[in-house]
Amino acid sequence: MRVPRSSPGSMTSTPEHLKAQILELTRQYSRQVHDRFRPASDPDRRPWQTGETIPYAGRVFTEDEVEAAVSSTLDFWLTLGQEGDAFQQELATFLGVRYSLLVNSGSSANLIAISALTSPKLPAERRIKPGDEVVTVAAGFPTTVAPIVQVGAVPVFIDADPETGNARCDQLELAYSPGKTKAVMMAHALGNPFDLAATLAFCRKYDLWLVEDNCDALGCSYSMPRPLAESLGFTENSPGLDEGPDRVVRWTGTWGDISTQSFYPPHHLTMGEGGAVSIVRDGKLKVIAESFRDWGRDCWCPSGIDNTCGKRFGWQVGELPYGYDHKYSYSHLGYNLKPLDPQAAIGRVQLKRLPEFIQARKLNWEVLRRGLALCSDVLVFSLPTHAADWDAESGFSWDDSGCRTNCSWFGFKLQIKQGAHFTRTDLARWLDSHQIGNRMLFGGNLVRQPAFTQLLQAQPKAFRVVGELSGSDEIMTHCLFLGTYPGLTPEMLKFKIKIIREYILPK
Ligand SMILES: Cc1ncc(COP(=O)(O)O)c(C=O)c1O
């Protein structure tokens, strides 16, 4: 493409004009070459053609994101700066938490979240020390669990329920070990909140931290009757949520002490690579988490800024001499897990689309559920936690716990019933042969993954398992999930349903 040149000295040669031209051309370019990535609801989205791949998930964006990335890149601050600060503030405001810190992935967010809980700055009885235990769930994504091992703690695996995909919270008590258990760290599976009422009651009873891996669940909410919420310490709704005066409703990621997000492309919003650690209430955890993210330093100056505390040469920490530069004083064995400012610039545009994306995920799940209802002789469909059933007329009915979930689905999970005339892998192959994206519930039963079998061989006490984990095995063997992402057009959804019905229903 030819970029118009401006003559020296003309108005168009000022940096502002040059930037405006570049950004205008960027928008034109993006409109031409990225039209199949626009939201499905966008009239300018290039229609899907039969024969084209239907990914299970992916980037959904317009020229707005591309312009934001280019604009920030032209500024060339590069490391986290004003876009990062703004994104952190805007995400924290959306969720209604005290702080959100940007990191370079959801996995890094989990590493920072659990590392923060090992800090010597926390009370001795609460901090996680080597050999302490963290309760987690066996079916899921490996980097929900790996950081527990990486900080020297011991994961204790409870089972997952194949219907919800989530932890069987009735096993929490069985996992508890007095004096050793310090935290619970689990994911809301595929955009389905786990039983927060049971988990929080367990955490309150034993004074444990709760880390919510919210990487697959941005925009999910969980509600409970007000007296129950108040007994657990919650009085306020999250911003923008309301289920009447008798209930408290909050986003997932705002019930625990710390929560994490992933902004990798299949997730609810993307910046390519990226993630966030949200500190729900306790400001001290923010300073600690930031220290682990930023090399382990004691100082909290933003990149490129000196002397935020006003006494850069007035500290005495560790065995360093009084007045040693606070910028180079380290209170933790930290990392550097920051993303770039252009990533944050993309994220800011995506965050504005989040309400629309959440709605699209809900709608797409509903379309698949209705379209595949005829296949229920051989398929078990996922139920939101606390749902008792679903029917086409009235939607979900609820169990008598009084708690409710509202799912911002990451995926549409199917379980193949015993006795079906095909296996999960047969169905996955059929979908693959029609270029329909499908995935297994990540690592299945994680304790059967080589990383964990090898770990146990080398260190027999590296983790503990509660019971048989038969639900996790079932998920590993009989489940897969389809996409619900906001790039799916009605034609793509229709095609998915047609192909699955063709395979399953008698001719
Ligand atoms: C539940 C869960 N936690 C953590 C992660 C890791 O996120 P990332 O890929 O950004 O490292 C994922 C990735 O999909 C995930 O599904």
Side-chain angles (χ1 to χ4, degrees):
M1 179 187 293
R2 283 172 74 87
V3 178
R5 295 243 181 113
S6 52
S7 56
S10 77
M11 279 295 286
T12 52
S13 64
T14 65
E16 292 73 23
H17 280 92
L18 285 172
K19 187 170 181 184
Q21 282 178 1
I22 291 167
L23 295 183
E24 180 47 37
L25 286 174
T26 298
R27 292 181 72 82
Q28 286 177 28
Y29 174 83
S30 179
R31 282 188 76 82
Q32 283 189 28
V33 302
H34 296 140
D35 53 353
R36 73 195 162 95
F37 297 105
R38 302 178 84 83
S41 57
D42 186 327
D44 293 334
R45 187 197 196 282
R46 195 180 83 202
W48 171 80
Q49 311 283 345
T50 312
E52 281 178 357
T53 298
I54 303 180
Y56 94 94
R59 302 160 288 162
V60 178
F61 64 95
T62 73
E63 62 275 17
D64 295 341
E65 280 85 346
V66 184
E67 179 188 352
V70 171
S71 173
S72 172
T73 304
L74 289 173
D75 293 346
F76 224 62
W77 175 259
L78 294 184
T79 185
L80 274 190
Q82 63 180 27
E83 296 292 343
D85 288 346
F87 179 87
Q88 292 183 154
Q89 188 55 55
E90 286 158 9
L91 179 64
T93 303
F94 176 88
L95 288 171
V97 295
R98 269 194 89 179
Y99 300 104
S100 292
L101 296 175
L102 259 176
V103 291
N104 59 7
S105 72
S107 304
S108 298
N110 284 341
L111 180 60
I112 294 295
I114 198 78
S115 297
L117 301 180
T118 66
S119 172
K121 296 190 176 203
L122 295 172
E125 68 286 0
R126 292 212 67 196
R127 76 179 263 233
I128 299 174
K129 292 183 270 310
D132 281 344
E133 296 188 347
V134 177
V135 181
T136 189
V137 63
F141 199 80
T143 55
T144 310
V145 178
I148 302 172
V149 180
Q150 284 154 350
V151 300
V154 176
V156 178
F157 289 103
I158 59 173
D159 203 4
D161 169 7
E163 201 157 66
T164 61
N166 273 317
R168 279 191 50 194
C169 291
D170 58 312
Q171 294 192 338
L172 286 170
E173 283 285 349
L174 295 171
Y176 182 69
S177 174
K180 289 210 146 201
T181 311
K182 293 288 169 59
V184 176
M185 178 160 172
M186 307 194 290
H188 300 291
L190 299 182
N192 188 3
F194 57 75
D195 184 341
L196 278 155
T199 308
L200 284 162
F202 174 71
C203 290
R204 297 288 184 269
K205 181 172 171 188
Y206 298 112
D207 206 11
L208 309 176
W209 303 104
L210 174 58
V211 180
E212 294 175 73
D213 177 336
N214 203 41
C215 285
D216 298 341
L218 186 56
C220 293
S221 62
Y222 188 97
S223 73
M224 48 177 98
R226 182 163 289 280
L228 175 59
E230 287 181 357
S231 74
L232 295 167
F234 298 94
T235 53
E236 309 239 321
N237 293 331
S238 291
L241 298 178
D242 191 355
E243 291 185 7
D246 300 334
R247 302 184 66 77
V248 172
V249 54
R250 297 170 64 87
W251 301 117
T252 54
T254 72
W255 293 88
D257 299 285
I258 308 185
S259 66
T260 60
Q261 300 299 155
S262 167
F263 304 131
Y264 190 66
H267 293 258
H268 293 64
L269 67 85
T270 191
M271 51 181 77
E273 300 287 353
V277 181
S278 289
I279 308 298
V280 178
R281 287 170 291 275
D282 183 351
K284 187 187 225 179
L285 287 177
K286 182 254 184 184
V287 177
I288 296 171
E290 205 166 32
S291 167
F292 273 102
R293 183 192 67 176
D294 301 352
W295 305 280
R297 64 188 185 169
D298 204 60
C299 150
W300 54 89
C301 285
S303 296
I305 309 285
D306 295 342
N307 209 16
T308 308
C309 66
K311 51 172 200 166
R312 179 175 167 194
F313 303 109
W315 289 81
Q316 198 285 308
V317 290
E319 295 181 9
L320 295 169
Y322 173 79
Y324 195 78
D325 190 346
H326 196 219
K327 241 182 144 45
Y328 290 96
S329 301
Y330 301 95
S331 43
H332 299 107
L333 299 176
Y335 308 92
N336 176 2
L337 300 175
K338 295 190 296 300
L340 303 178
D341 223 32
Q343 290 171 264
I346 299 168
R348 291 185 70 194
V349 182
Q350 290 265 294
L351 195 53
K352 293 200 187 97
R353 300 189 195 279
L354 188 57
E356 176 201 334
F357 282 177
I358 294 168
Q359 269 320 106
R361 285 179 178 275
K362 288 180 187 179
L363 198 71
N364 292 346
W365 192 94
E366 190 75 23
V367 170
L368 289 169
R369 183 66 185 84
R370 283 170 193 277
L372 294 174
L374 284 175
C375 306
S376 54
D377 282 351
V378 284
L379 299 180
V380 185
F381 302 104
S382 202
L383 273 179
T385 297
H386 297 304
D389 209 349
W390 176 92
D391 79 62
E393 296 279 282
S394 47
F396 298 113
S397 56
W398 299 97
D399 67 18
D400 51 17
S401 66
C403 299
R404 302 275 185 279
T405 50
N406 197 338
C407 299
S408 167
W409 295 102
F410 185 83
F412 185 88
K413 187 168 73 59
L414 305 167
Q415 185 185 350
I416 317 305
K417 282 190 181 167
Q418 268 193 350
H421 58 283
F422 58 95
T423 66
R424 185 272 315 277
T425 307
D426 293 337
L427 179 58
R429 287 208 174 102
W430 172 256
L431 292 167
D432 258 11
S433 71
H434 290 85
Q435 291 164 279
I436 296 176
N438 63 91
R439 288 288 184 273
M440 296 183 188
L441 205 161
F442 309 125
N445 183 346
L446 293 173
V447 305
R448 298 195 187 278
Q449 289 281 352
F452 287 89
T453 57
Q454 287 154 17
L455 178 68
L456 206 60
Q457 259 172 13
Q459 300 170 45
K461 294 192 172 163
F463 61 83
R464 272 202 309 122
V465 167
V466 172
E468 300 291 314
L469 304 183
S470 55
S472 303
D473 280 343
E474 222 169 289
I475 288 172
M476 177 179 65
T477 318
H478 301 303
C479 290
L480 60 75
F481 74 89
L482 306 167
T484 51
Y485 83 111
L488 293 170
T489 63
E491 293 71 31
M492 292 156 98
L493 288 162
K494 219 162 148 186
F495 184 73
K496 283 204 220 194
I497 293 165
K498 172 176 157 292
I499 292 299
I500 294 176
R501 283 197 192 167
E502 255 174 43
Y503 188 66
I504 288 180
L505 297 178
K507 310 276 177 297

